[in-house]
């Protein structure tokens, strides 16, 4: 009896909406859909946003297209669409952790990469400038969509299901689901999804668990980012003891899934006056739309304004079918009361609606909108200020009328919570469906990725995740960066490479390893990135990241004929490189195609040169000499290796070291066992080659082909002596290698251009020689090393790899270099290889690379002609074209702006983004000459981390260029020479920051014992 009375009172309180749970209509689930106590169905669609930016005309066009697709479903009552949006700057830290930092910290820990200074700075700085937001459609299908016969069928279906199962009590009433309703609802969901996806709007349907988690995190904002998960049908549930007494208590409800409302609400609400409500750790204020806008405007205009205000807010805009019938009733009333002046305007408005319907097929829908903002409990002044801002922005959105007065402030606050119910305290209005769609929150900017190891921001501060590893959404990664100097191009490329190091792609079957990154640089633009990684790895592993300035002097020897350890002949791809390189080396500077027949000669000579280095009849293997490689000598002594021959060969040493599995030293020894350039001359003079090419003559020079070949080889040896010796430029196990080619890649003449071409091709070989290895290539290696090489090739094939080229315009006249790059792009997906090309103009890239690129990053353009060319070449939308023309103005306080044009997830994305970095990261990655000079002096004086902290403290914008220029100009006025003046200024600043004097005075936190020399410097 007592239990029955308790249930009756509970039912009455729910009906009267006394407890918080009474505002939740959701009873159970059916697939991804939620089912209410009235057997209504609802599904939640996450609106990722538009893949391309849009102008207002574009928004109107897309809204019209959606109206055409969906108007049939909203013609009559039964279906509803709730456009729901939330923006919460206060919870940005939680979302930044979830989207980026948690994963980056985990990956860094697995890699042994100490980048805590960078990640901690991001955690402290990003929440102040970034803003988390999300948008959803909540799609409702009410039972009124069913015919009378279908409702009868549904009732019978539910009755049979209830009778077959146990009594539910206060648990989820699972029997309210219906296949009839599910079918009608699914059709509606598919129709709306089709309308969105068909108009280039990215979407994702949430499952029931995700939908309810969204609801709970909306009610209790302090739970954002939690691991909470609702217990739903099909989930494992712990039985609950019954509270009923009696002889035969019914335990069945305790075995079922607990009520959804009880799971969502964990603390009650408390009204604070007539307009505020306290729920959990926050106080809420609601604002309703009392009168719709005179000029319906895109939703992004409202969200962007409030985003700049950094006000947390949410809104629910409800459009329901059946506007036609509601309009007819109100129109009739307006006609009867048209004698009163105010009703004349209303009648004319109805006339306009009717005309739009009759002329253009526009239907009217019921529209309600409710919004809310919040502040931490007790901060009533902040809440009032935020509510006032929300009201002002709402009323400025097409001249709406807003009100914060509702009969129940709790009901008003919960009206903007998704999925609880379809109720809203907003005043119902009648709107054309096309106008209503324009007001829904689908016209925001979408990212293909939900998470990423790089976070960019939109100009309004919204977070935009980017995953540099590409993942399944961008299996082919070919990026091009276009911008004049000083636009942030190099810093952006460094940001992406650092993100690649911190992406989940580094986690392989053999554990976490740094990605394989190679970059052919002109100048030190990537030196800061390499130094950052080296310091993060620590002294024991700093060799895994190397920056080298290529030079033609001892210590920089590179032999292009090196082999995979244990091999006697090159792999097919290695031989192809040798043929390309030697073909380029044997062409006149102003010629781009090899002499007739010379390519065939080169192929034969390469084979013969390798053959002569083996122990075949007539061969002349390279003799081993002790003292050349002390480490090899020591290993032979340590393992007590006895070489077979009295005059052993380096090949014998290689085999002996392979036997004891000294693979690294075997590779070192093998460098002395392979041919060098001068061996090509010997090979060209053998009978095997002469018999074939003796009569081949070069028409252009009247020389025999062998003689011409020898002449060019001798010329290469003279110009580049470091290419005619065993390799000494040893990168060992390095995984990140940057080659600065500035000293060996000159410009200005055809001879210089030819040298530059050769150096780019050589750099590609040094950096990416192993990038295209595959386990299938193990069949080309000797059996004794096949198992080792197969495992090694497999590991390399699994690793994510990236090859970047800076100043790509220097290869413009070299078909060989560009053909190799184009081949790498075409086959990059097969080898898990990413490509990146940076230059100052789009024309520098070449049509083939541009056409195959999947990532296009435009940071600025040289002139109007260049801008128009990019707009046409990339097929940019009107909004993106305006960005290229007017918005890319170089780095500023909010970051470096750029336009990203990405091919990902089978679609094209165009977004204007900002690369916003903190001062520590900016200083670490800076490429400006003055800044890098100052940074390097501080590194030497106080160490890496301390130098960055001091630079960030004194120059929080990440650059000292303005101060350097100011002091330099003062010195020039005193008559100092330009270069000497700049060097003196940099030295002066470095001293000030080292000693805590001058500008460095801000580093003084404490002076002990009144002794100015004893300064404690801040290490923030």
């Amino acid at each position: 009896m007592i239990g029955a009375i308790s249930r009756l009172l509970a039912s009455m309180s729910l009906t009267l909406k006394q407890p918080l749970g009474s505002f939740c209509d959701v009873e159970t689930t059916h697939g991804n859909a939620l089912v209410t106590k009235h057997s209504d169905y609802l599904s939640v669609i996450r609106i990722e946003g538009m893949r391309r930016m849009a102008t207002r005309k574009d928004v109107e066009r897309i809204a019209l297209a959606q109206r055409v697709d969906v108007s049939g479903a909203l013609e009559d009552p039964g279906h509803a669409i709730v456009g729901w949006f939330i923006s919460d700057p206060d919870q940005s830290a939680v979302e930044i952790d979830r989207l980026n930092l948690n994963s980056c910290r985990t990956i860094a820990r697995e890699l042994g990469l100490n980048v805590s200074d960078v990640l901690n700075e991001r955690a402290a700085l990003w929440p102040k400038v970034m803003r988390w937001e999300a948008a959803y459609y909540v799609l409702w299908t009410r039972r009124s969509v069913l015919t009378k016969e279908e409702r009868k069928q549904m009732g019978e279906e539910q009755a049979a299901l209830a009778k077959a199962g146990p009594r539910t009590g206060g648990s989820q009433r699972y029997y309210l689901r219906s296949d009839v309703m599910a079918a009608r609802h699914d059709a509606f969901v598919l129709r709306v999804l089709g309308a969105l996806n068909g108009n280039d709007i990215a979407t994702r349907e949430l499952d029931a668990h995700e939908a309810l988690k969204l609801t709970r995190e909306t009610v209790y904002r302090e739970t954002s980012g939690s691991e909470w998960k609702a217990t739903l049908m099909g989930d494992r549930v712990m039985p609950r003891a019954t509270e009923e007494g009696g002889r035969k208590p019914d335990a069945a409800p305790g075995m079922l899934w607990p009520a959804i409302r009880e799971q969502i609400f964990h603390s009650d609400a408390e009204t604070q006056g007539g307009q505020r409500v306290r729920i959990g750790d926050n106080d809420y204020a609601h604002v309703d739309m009392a009168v719709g806008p005179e000029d319906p405007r895109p939703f992004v205009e409202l969200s962007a304004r409030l985003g700049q205000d950094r006000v947390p807010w949410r809104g629910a805009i409800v459009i329901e079918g059946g506007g036609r019938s509601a309009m007819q009733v109100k129109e009739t009333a307006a006609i009867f009361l048209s004698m009163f002046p105010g009703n004349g305007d209303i009648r004319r408005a109805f006339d306009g609606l009717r005309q739009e319907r009759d002329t253009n097929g526009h239907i009217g829908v019921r529209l309600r909108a409710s919004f809310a903002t919040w502040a931490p409990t007790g901060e009533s002044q902040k809440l009032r200020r935020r509510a006032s801002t929300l009201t002002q922005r709402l009323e400025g959105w097409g001249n709406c009328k807003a009100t914060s007065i509702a009969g129940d402030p709790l009901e008003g606050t919960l009206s903007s919570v998704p999925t609880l119910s379809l109720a809203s305290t907003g005043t119902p209005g009648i709107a054309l469906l096309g106008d209503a769609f324009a007001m829904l929150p689908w016209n925001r900017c979408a990212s293909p990725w939900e998470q990423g190891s790089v976070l960019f921001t939109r100009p309004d501060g919204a977070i935009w995740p980017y995953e540099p590893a590409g993942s399944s959404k961008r299996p082919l990664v070919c990026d091009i960066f276009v911008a004049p100097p000083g636009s942030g191009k190099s810093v952006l490329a460094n940001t992406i490479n650092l993100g690649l190091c911190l992406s989940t792609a580094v986690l392989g079957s053999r554990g976490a390893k740094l990605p394989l990154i190679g970059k052919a640089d002109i100048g030190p633009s990537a030196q800061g990135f390499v130094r950052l990684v080296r310091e993060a790895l620590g002294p024991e592993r700093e060799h895994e990241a190397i920056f080298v300035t290529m030079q033609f002097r001892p210590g920089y020897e590179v032999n292009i004929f090196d082999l995979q350890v244990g091999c006697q002949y090159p792999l097919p791809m290695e031989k192809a490189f040798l043929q390309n390189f030697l073909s380029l080396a044997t062409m006149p500077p102003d010629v781009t195609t090899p002499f007739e027949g010379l390519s065939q000669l080169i192929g034969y000579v390469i084979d013969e040169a390798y053959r002569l280095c083996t122990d075949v009849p007539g061969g002349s293997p390279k003799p081993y000499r002790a003292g050349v490689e002390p480490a090899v000598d020591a290993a032979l002594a340590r393992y007590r290796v006895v070489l077979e021959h009295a005059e052993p060969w380096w090949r014998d040493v290689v085999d002996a070291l392979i036997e004891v599995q000294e693979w690294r030293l075997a590779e070192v020894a093998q460098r002395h066992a392979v041919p060098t350039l001068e061996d090509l001359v010997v090979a060209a003079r053998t009978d095997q080659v002469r018999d074939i090419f003796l009569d081949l003559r070069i028409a252009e020079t009247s020389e025999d082909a062998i003689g011409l070949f020898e002449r060019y080889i001798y010329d290469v040896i003279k110009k580049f002596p470091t290419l005619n010796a065993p390799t000494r430029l040893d990168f060992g196990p390095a995984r990140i290698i940057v080659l600065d080619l500035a000293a060996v890649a000159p410009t200005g003449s055809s001879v210089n251009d030819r040298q530059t071409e050769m150096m780019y091709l050589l750099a590609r070989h040094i950096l990416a020689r192993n990038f295209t290895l595959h386990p299938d290539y193990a069949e080309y290696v000797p059996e004794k090393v096949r198992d080792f090489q197969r495992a090694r090739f497999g590991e390399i094939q699994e690793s994510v790899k990236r090859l970047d080229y800076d100043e790509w315009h220097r290869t413009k006249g070299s078909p060989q270099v560009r053909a190799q790059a184009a081949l790498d792009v075409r086959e990059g997906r097969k080898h898990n290889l990413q490509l990146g090309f940076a230059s100052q103009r789009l024309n520098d890239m070449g049509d083939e690379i541009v056409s195959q690129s999947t990532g296009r990053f435009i940071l600025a353009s040289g002139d109007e002609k260049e801008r128009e060319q990019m707009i046409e070449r990339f097929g940019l939308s009107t909004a993106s074209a305006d960005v290229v023309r007017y918005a890319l103005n170089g780095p500023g306080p909010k970051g470096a702006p750029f336009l990203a044009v990405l091919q990902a997830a089978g679609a094209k994305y165009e977004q204007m983004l900002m690369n916003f970095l903190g001062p520590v990261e900016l200083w670490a990655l800076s490429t400006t000459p003055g800044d890098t000079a100052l940074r390097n002096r501080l590194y030497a004086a106080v160490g890496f981390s301390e130098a960055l902290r001091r630079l960030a403290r004194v120059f929080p914008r990440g650059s000292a260029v303005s101060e350097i220029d100011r002091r330099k100009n003062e010195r020039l006025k005193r008559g100092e020479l330009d270069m000497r003046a700049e060097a003196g200024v940099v030295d002066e600043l470095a001293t000030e920051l080292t000693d805590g004097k001058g500008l460095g005075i801000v580093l003084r936190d404490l002076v002990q014992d009144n002794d100015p020399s004893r300064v404690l410097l801040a290490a923030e």
Side-chain angles (χ1 to χ4, degrees):
M1 173 66 75
I2 295 176
I5 294 175
S6 297
R7 286 194 296 273
L8 177 61
L9 292 176
S11 177
M12 292 177 60
S13 66
L14 285 173
T15 303
L16 298 174
K17 290 196 173 180
Q18 294 298 322
L20 194 58
S22 65
F23 290 90
C24 178
D25 288 346
V26 179
E27 279 287 338
T28 187
T29 61
H30 192 173
N32 289 339
L34 306 179
V35 183
T36 72
K37 60 188 177 184
H38 306 297
S39 296
D40 298 337
Y41 272 58
L42 63 144
S43 294
V44 181
I45 307 298
R46 180 179 174 88
I47 308 297
E48 305 292 354
M50 300 182 64
R51 298 183 178 94
R52 300 191 184 193
M53 294 181 295
T55 62
R56 185 171 179 181
K57 288 185 177 180
D58 294 327
V59 171
E60 293 172 353
R61 173 181 54 79
I62 296 172
L64 177 62
Q66 290 185 67
R67 173 191 62 86
V68 172
D69 292 337
V70 181
S71 59
L74 297 176
E75 180 83 20
D76 298 311
H79 291 300
I81 299 176
V82 181
W84 187 81
F85 179 87
I86 185 171
S87 174
D88 193 352
D90 294 344
Q91 287 294 322
S92 292
V94 174
E95 293 300 325
I96 288 169
D97 281 344
R98 182 181 67 84
L99 297 174
N100 175 268
L101 292 182
N102 287 340
S103 174
C104 287
R105 289 190 180 103
T106 301
I107 299 301
R109 187 166 54 250
E110 291 291 324
L111 285 172
L113 196 67
N114 183 9
V115 288
S116 56
D117 283 353
V118 170
L119 297 181
N120 290 341
E121 181 185 59
R122 292 179 179 180
L125 186 62
W126 279 356
K128 298 177 182 178
V129 296
M130 292 186 178
R131 175 176 54 83
W132 175 77
E133 65 176 34
Y136 298 85
Y137 272 7
V138 184
L139 307 181
W140 287 78
T141 302
R142 288 180 160 174
R143 59 184 300 168
S144 58
V145 300
L146 302 180
T147 64
K148 182 178 180 180
E149 182 61 30
E150 287 173 332
R151 284 196 294 270
K152 178 181 178 182
Q153 179 183 343
M154 183 179 71
E156 294 173 350
E157 181 184 353
Q158 292 174 342
L161 188 60
K163 185 177 181 181
R167 190 172 65 85
T168 59
S171 302
Q172 294 180 32
R173 292 189 283 173
Y174 59 88
Y175 54 81
L176 292 178
R177 54 169 46 192
S178 165
D179 290 336
V180 177
M181 274 293 293
R184 298 294 290 272
H185 179 68
D186 289 345
F188 177 55
V189 171
L190 290 175
R191 191 166 187 172
V192 174
L193 284 174
L196 292 168
N197 295 331
N199 288 286
D200 217 22
I201 301 170
T203 62
R204 181 176 69 86
E205 183 177 1
L206 271 59
D207 62 33
H209 290 96
E210 293 175 308
L212 292 174
K213 186 174 187 290
L214 171 66
T215 304
R216 188 172 186 268
E217 291 183 352
T218 303
V219 176
Y220 303 102
R221 288 303 303 144
E222 63 273 13
T223 66
S224 177
S226 69
E227 298 298 323
W228 180 86
K229 183 180 179 181
T231 302
L232 304 177
M233 287 187 60
D235 295 342
R236 182 179 179 182
V237 60
M238 179 179 288
R240 303 175 305 286
T242 179
E243 296 180 358
E244 294 189 6
R247 296 179 180 178
K248 297 181 179 180
D250 187 356
M255 302 290 290
L256 298 177
W257 306 275
I260 288 176
R261 64 177 62 86
E262 294 177 0
Q263 298 184 60
I264 291 177
F265 299 109
H266 63 79
S267 65
D268 211 344
E270 178 184 352
T271 57
Q272 307 285 314
Q275 297 180 356
R276 293 183 291 118
V277 176
R278 179 166 298 169
I279 306 177
D281 294 346
N282 291 285
D283 292 346
Y284 294 80
H286 79 281
V287 178
D288 291 335
M289 183 185 292
V291 179
E294 293 179 9
D295 176 21
R297 294 184 178 179
F299 183 85
V300 70
E301 294 187 15
L302 174 63
S303 63
R305 289 281 187 88
L306 286 165
Q308 294 172 356
D309 297 326
R310 295 193 62 78
V311 171
W313 67 286
R314 66 182 185 233
I317 302 174
V318 184
I319 57 175
E320 297 179 80
R324 178 183 181 184
S325 57
M327 186 174 68
Q328 288 175 344
V329 174
K330 293 185 178 182
E331 183 179 10
T332 302
I335 292 174
F336 276 115
L337 299 175
S338 60
M339 64 186 70
F340 299 103
N343 285 316
D345 292 336
I346 298 176
R347 181 173 56 79
R348 284 188 291 272
F350 279 116
D351 289 340
L353 290 172
R354 185 172 58 251
Q355 183 178 358
E356 281 291 327
R357 176 182 178 83
D358 295 340
T359 304
N360 300 317
H362 287 192
I363 66 170
V365 291
R366 298 179 72 243
L367 185 145
R368 294 173 291 167
S370 188
F371 304 83
T373 185
W374 56 92
T377 297
E379 299 188 23
S380 56
Q381 185 176 359
K382 178 182 287 188
L383 180 61
R384 284 194 295 270
R385 186 166 58 249
R386 289 176 171 179
S388 175
T389 301
L390 176 59
T391 300
Q392 292 175 26
R393 294 306 187 195
L394 182 60
E395 291 185 336
W397 186 40
N399 196 22
C400 298
K401 299 297 184 292
T403 179
S404 57
I405 300 174
D408 182 356
L410 177 58
E411 184 178 6
T413 298
L414 295 182
S415 292
S416 56
V417 175
T419 78
L420 287 181
S421 70
L422 197 53
S424 174
T425 55
T427 305
I430 305 298
L432 292 173
L433 181 57
D435 292 342
F437 268 128
M439 297 170 63
L440 296 186
W442 50 264
N443 52 3
R444 51 194 292 270
C445 296
S447 169
W449 298 279
E450 294 184 11
Q451 296 177 314
S453 58
V454 175
L455 287 189
F456 297 125
T457 68
R458 301 205 309 262
D460 61 1
I463 299 171
W464 204 91
Y466 175 77
E467 180 48 64
S471 69
S472 59
K473 295 189 176 181
R474 194 156 72 112
L476 172 61
V477 178
C478 176
D479 297 329
I480 59 176
F481 302 84
V482 181
S487 303
K489 178 172 75 263
S490 296
V491 173
L492 177 60
N494 289 334
T495 300
I496 290 175
N497 280 335
L498 180 59
L500 188 61
C501 294
L502 297 174
S503 72
T504 54
V506 306
L507 300 176
S509 59
R510 296 171 175 83
K513 290 189 177 182
L514 282 173
L516 295 169
I517 298 177
K519 181 167 185 175
D521 209 352
I522 299 293
S525 67
Q527 187 177 28
F529 163 67
V530 172
R531 181 66 183 268
L532 175 63
V533 175
R534 285 172 63 88
E535 294 289 341
L537 289 170
E540 295 182 355
R541 295 179 56 200
E542 64 179 8
H543 57 269
E544 294 183 30
I546 296 177
F547 179 91
V548 174
T549 300
M550 290 291 289
Q551 301 176 56
F552 296 132
R553 65 183 181 86
Y556 291 83
E557 292 87 354
V558 175
N559 185 10
I560 61 175
F561 296 94
D562 284 337
L563 298 171
Q564 304 296 326
V565 65
C567 294
Q568 294 184 342
Y569 292 92
L571 300 177
M573 59 182 182
E574 293 173 330
K575 184 177 178 182
F577 159 74
L578 292 172
Q579 287 187 292
N580 287 340
F581 187 83
L582 294 174
S583 294
L584 191 62
T586 53
M587 287 191 295
D590 54 351
V591 175
T592 58
T593 56
F595 292 116
E596 174 63 29
L598 204 60
S599 295
Q600 292 87 344
L601 171 63
I602 290 172
Y604 274 86
V605 170
I606 291 171
D607 291 340
E608 185 64 12
Y610 279 106
R611 191 186 71 83
L612 292 176
C613 288
T614 65
D615 57 352
V616 298
S620 54
K622 302 293 181 81
Y624 164 68
R625 293 184 178 86
V628 176
E629 296 288 354
V632 171
D633 300 339
L636 294 177
R638 185 169 62 253
Y639 289 104
R640 299 178 181 178
V641 173
V642 178
L643 299 175
E644 296 181 6
H645 304 89
E647 296 182 357
W649 304 319
W650 279 106
R651 182 65 58 189
D652 297 333
V653 176
V654 174
D655 293 340
L657 292 173
I658 288 174
E659 285 294 328
V660 296
Q661 297 189 0
E662 282 283 0
W663 304 104
R664 173 70 183 140
L665 292 175
E667 180 184 359
V668 173
Q670 186 171 267
R671 295 170 182 169
H672 299 272
V674 297
T676 58
L677 279 174
E678 61 187 5
D679 294 324
L680 297 181
V681 176
V682 177
R685 294 175 179 176
T686 60
D687 294 339
Q688 289 87 337
V689 176
R690 283 191 171 276
D691 289 346
I692 301 174
F693 296 96
L694 183 62
D695 296 330
L696 177 62
R697 303 192 68 82
I698 304 301
E700 292 83 349
T701 64
S702 300
E703 295 176 88
D704 66 273
I706 295 176
L708 180 139
F709 174 77
E710 292 179 4
R711 177 165 61 85
Y712 271 102
I713 293 300
Y714 280 129
D715 185 59
V716 172
I717 293 173
K718 181 180 179 181
K719 289 180 178 177
F720 314 119
T722 55
L723 300 183
N724 186 43
T727 297
R728 288 290 177 189
L729 187 59
D730 187 1
F731 299 115
R735 301 184 69 83
I736 298 176
I737 305 172
V738 176
L739 298 180
D740 178 6
L741 305 179
V744 297
T747 58
S749 67
S750 59
V751 174
N752 288 344
D753 291 344
R754 175 52 46 81
Q755 178 176 325
T756 296
E757 296 165 25
M758 293 176 63
M759 292 303 104
Y760 266 88
L761 205 57
L762 176 64
R764 190 268 174 200
H765 174 69
I766 295 173
L767 297 170
R769 171 185 166 209
N770 295 329
F771 282 11
T772 55
L773 293 176
H774 191 279
D776 292 345
Y777 297 155
E779 66 180 86
Y780 295 105
V781 305
E783 187 173 352
K784 61 185 177 183
V785 294
R786 187 166 296 162
D787 291 341
F788 166 76
Q789 294 290 21
R790 181 179 286 111
R792 175 172 167 264
F793 292 177
E795 178 188 348
I796 292 174
Q797 198 271 334
E798 288 180 6
S799 299
V800 61
K801 300 170 282 287
R802 185 174 179 93
L803 180 60
D804 284 350
Y805 295 95
D806 197 14
E807 304 293 343
W808 187 241
H809 63 272
R810 297 202 180 196
T811 68
K812 198 169 184 179
S814 177
Q816 284 80 7
V817 177
R818 299 222 162 186
Q820 179 64 63
L823 179 63
D824 288 339
V825 173
R826 285 196 295 270
E827 298 187 354
R829 179 177 180 178
K830 179 173 64 177
H831 299 295
N832 201 18
L833 171 63
Q834 302 183 6
L835 277 298
F837 303 88
S839 195
Q840 300 174 14
R841 301 181 68 90
L842 181 61
N843 281 338
D844 300 334
M845 297 298 175
D847 286 340
E848 189 164 6
I849 288 175
V850 171
S851 63
Q852 295 184 86
S853 61
T854 59
R856 298 154 179 182
F857 299 89
I858 306 168
L859 291 92
S861 55
D863 52 31
E864 183 176 352
K865 182 179 179 181
E866 172 82 359
R867 289 191 287 271
E868 297 304 320
Q869 181 185 12
M870 285 191 288
I871 291 168
E872 182 179 358
R873 182 67 180 84
F874 295 153
L876 299 181
S877 65
T878 302
S880 298
D882 288 343
V883 168
V884 173
R885 291 187 182 107
Y886 311 117
L888 301 179
N889 301 315
K894 294 184 178 180
F898 64 95
L899 178 71
V901 183
L902 303 174
Q903 195 70 34
K908 183 180 181 182
Y909 289 77
E910 296 177 13
Q911 307 292 347
M912 179 184 175
L913 303 171
M914 310 292 291
N915 184 27
F916 182 84
L917 304 178
V920 169
E921 197 167 357
L922 279 174
W923 273 109
L925 301 179
S926 176
T927 63
T928 306
D931 289 336
T932 56
L934 176 60
R935 179 187 67 198
N936 292 340
R937 284 168 172 77
L938 262 292
Y939 282 167
V942 299
F944 178 79
S945 297
E946 181 63 22
L948 292 179
R949 282 193 285 265
R950 295 188 186 198
L951 288 167
R953 179 76 180 274
V954 177
F955 300 104
R957 291 195 174 184
S959 177
V961 169
S962 59
E963 179 65 16
I964 292 173
D965 288 343
R966 185 186 68 79
R967 296 191 183 196
K968 176 183 169 183
N969 290 333
E970 291 180 356
R971 287 175 175 248
L972 290 175
K973 291 177 182 178
R974 296 198 297 265
E976 292 189 34
L977 296 177
D978 191 295
M979 293 299 294
R980 184 177 300 174
E982 181 163 349
V985 166
V986 173
D987 289 335
E988 181 180 47
L989 280 173
T991 301
E992 290 181 10
L993 270 63
T994 300
D995 298 338
K997 300 177 181 178
L999 285 181
I1001 195 70
V1002 300
L1003 300 171
R1004 295 191 175 207
D1005 279 357
L1006 179 65
V1007 179
Q1008 295 183 343
D1009 303 328
N1010 296 320
D1011 183 357
S1013 65
R1014 300 180 64 186
V1015 180
L1016 297 182
L1017 295 175
E1020 298 178 342

